[in-house]
Amino acid sequence: MNVNEPLVKVKFYAGLRAKAGEEKIECHAAKVKDVLHILRDKYGPDFNKALNSCHIYLNHDSIAFLHGPNTKLKEGDVLHILPPTGGG
């Protein structure tokens, strides 16, 4: 953790929230990939397996339409991590 990097919020939804054991965290990170590394270290294999199929949004935009894991973060950004959903 580098306190010189932006402080961002990370919110978990549905089953991922249960695997994390909490609704949200805050961490210092420069890019989305840095947050993912922090999460993988903090929560372990079950969480990591679920994380691999999740959709990630930075504020209101999917990181898939930004720069993916290389998307830069700024102070106050919120990452929303949602497991895939289905229905019919």
Side-chain angles (χ1 to χ4, degrees), residues 15-28:
L16 195 64
R17 180 184 295 165
K19 290 185 184 308
E22 53 193 339
E23 182 178 319
K24 61 186 173 185
I25 65 164
E26 291 184 340
C27 61
H28 291 273

Side-chain angles (χ1 to χ4, degrees), residues 31-46:
K31 295 182 179 184
V32 170
K33 67 181 179 182
D34 301 327
V35 172
L36 297 176
H37 182 73
I38 291 166
L39 298 178
R40 290 181 192 286
D41 285 349
K42 180 174 174 118
Y43 296 112
D46 286 341

Side-chain angles (χ1 to χ4, degrees), residues 41-86:
D41 285 349
K42 180 174 174 118
Y43 296 112
D46 286 341
F47 180 91
N48 293 338
K49 185 176 179 183
L51 184 61
N52 288 335
S53 61
C54 286
H55 302 283
I56 302 172
Y57 292 85
L58 174 58
N59 301 316
H60 300 288
D61 299 314
S62 171
I63 66 164
F65 298 109
L66 300 171
H67 297 285
N70 288 315
T71 301
K72 292 182 181 179
L73 302 171
K74 65 184 183 313
E75 189 78 17
D77 277 344
V78 179
L79 281 176
H80 303 271
I81 305 181
L82 297 92
T85 56

